Amino acid sequence: MDAPVKVACAQVEPVAFDRAATLDKVATVAAEAAADGARLVLFPETFVPVYPSSRWVRELVGGGNGKPIFARLARESVEIPGPHSDRLGTIAREQRIRLAVGVNERAGGTLYNSLLVYSPDGELDLHHRKLMPTNHERLVWGMGDGTGLAAIQTELGRVGGLICWENLMPLARAALYESGVEVYLAPTADDTEQWHDSIRHIARESRAFVLSCCVFQRASSYPDDVPLGDGGELIGRGGSAILGPDGAYLAGPLWDEEGIIYAELDPKRLYEERQRFDAAGHYSRPDVLRLSVQPISRATPKPE
């Protein structure tokens, strides 16, 4: 990073199971954040078209009501390349921002949990599929691969990210550290206090700025024909936050409501905190410890 930059986490609710309407919401919210001076805007995990909450994913077991629900999610997911991925690029270009969005990605008959980062020119610069779906998520998504497991050089600094609980995988984090990550994206659906224990540690360990944008969803916003298990109105209560490289909060956490949080990232803070600890630099021991990453993409089926 060469200069301070204003960033934002958009803790807003998707239009569940409706890709077109959710993309419209991305456009509206991105425009608002850009008007407020944000140059990078992060949306939550699988924002498009919805995060598969355990309140309804249980329907996928047994195949009765589950098959139509899965089919509906698949139909409303994003293909890359494709017109809906292009729409996200257009939003980034129109607002002249770096846009980071979590999507359900459809590749053939398989869905993936993907993080997409677009440039202000509308190019898809980073495409990362979640390495390991957690618990009930394995009913929905396939396993990701090693592509996108590195920070990329951008006009804002080196940007990279991991999705939700793959942030708890030490070697995945180490891959980002070795690639020089400065702005660390952590979209998530984990709305617990324990998640904040993790992101505070990750900020201190990476000595990077951490943006954690969390899912916010209400039961009342779901279509009537999607069966939800017992529980309260809030399916996801948020908790989005932006942290400095010392683990201190710069913005948030924001709980139990929609909103956009902002912070200014000052690059001098990176150097101040890396004086004593630099995980991939002077505090590493490559003569003793070594990481091997296989950046091999799983083949994406091509239509006939």
Side-chain angles (χ1 to χ4, degrees):
M1 294 181 69
D2 296 322
V5 58
K6 189 174 183 179
V7 300
C9 285
Q11 181 175 295
V12 293
E13 193 173 23
V15 182
F17 289 92
D18 188 330
R19 178 181 54 208
T22 300
L23 290 173
D24 287 344
K25 188 156 189 178
V26 171
T28 298
V29 173
E32 178 182 346
D36 284 338
R39 296 179 60 198
L40 183 153
V41 184
L42 174 64
F43 284 79
E45 179 177 10
T46 55
F47 183 72
V48 185
V50 69
Y51 172 77
S53 165
S54 59
R55 293 270 295 275
W56 60 265
V57 166
R58 67 190 68 194
E59 296 290 331
L60 302 186
V61 179
N65 295 324
K67 285 186 178 181
I69 295 173
F70 183 86
R72 184 173 183 174
L73 179 65
R75 288 197 312 271
E76 297 297 316
S77 293
V78 175
E79 288 188 310
I80 303 166
H84 306 102
S85 173
D86 291 346
R87 172 84 192 283
L88 290 168
T90 298
I91 294 168
R93 184 175 66 251
E94 288 176 346
Q95 301 303 327
R96 302 302 301 165
I97 59 170
R98 190 155 287 274
L99 180 65
V101 184
V103 303
N104 288 275
E105 176 194 352
R106 185 177 72 242
T110 300
L111 303 184
Y112 296 95
N113 177 341
S114 296
L115 171 63
L116 311 178
V117 180
Y118 294 86
S119 76
D121 294 326
E123 298 298 320
L124 179 57
D125 284 348
L126 180 65
H127 176 192
H128 172 61
R129 291 173 172 171
K130 189 176 185 180
L131 291 169
M132 180 58 67
T134 304
N135 196 24
H136 69 277
E137 296 172 353
R138 297 179 196 185
L139 296 169
V140 181
W141 300 316
M143 291 187 292
D145 53 51
T147 56
L149 200 58
I152 57 170
Q153 185 63 52
T154 78
E155 68 288 350
L156 310 178
R158 295 194 65 80
V159 176
L162 296 173
I163 303 164
C164 202
W165 272 26
E166 68 174 349
N167 281 284
L168 306 185
M169 300 170 71
L171 297 184
R173 298 199 307 271
L176 288 189
Y177 303 162
E178 287 195 349
S179 65
V181 66
E182 296 172 317
V183 181
Y184 186 122
L185 309 178
T188 187
D190 188 339
D191 59 356
T192 67
E193 293 285 354
Q194 288 79 12
W195 172 252
H196 285 262
D197 294 337
S198 296
I199 59 174
R200 285 193 294 265
H201 168 77
I202 290 169
R204 294 188 66 222
E205 183 179 66
S206 64
R207 291 310 205 250
F209 296 102
V210 173
L211 281 66
S212 174
C213 194
C214 189
V215 165
F216 176 82
Q217 291 180 15
R218 297 167 299 156
S220 59
S221 70
Y222 269 75
D224 292 338
D225 57 348
V226 175
L228 297 177
D230 293 338
E233 166 68 352
L234 287 182
I235 293 177
R237 59 185 299 249
S240 299
I242 303 172
L243 296 91
D246 58 351
Y249 289 108
L250 301 178
L254 176 65
W255 298 103
D256 303 332
E257 62 180 328
E258 286 191 298
I260 306 174
I261 60 172
Y262 300 90
E264 183 173 275
L265 313 185
D266 188 341
K268 76 176 183 180
R269 298 290 295 121
L270 296 171
Y271 305 115
E272 289 173 352
E273 295 306 322
R274 292 180 181 184
Q275 176 197 12
R276 294 188 179 184
F277 183 86
D278 182 359
H282 63 77
Y283 216 94
S284 66
R285 286 293 305 274
D287 55 323
V288 178
L289 304 169
R290 195 167 300 171
L291 175 65
S292 175
V293 178
Q294 302 299 320
I296 299 171
S297 174
R298 293 189 173 193
T300 298
K302 302 295 184 184
E304 295 295 334

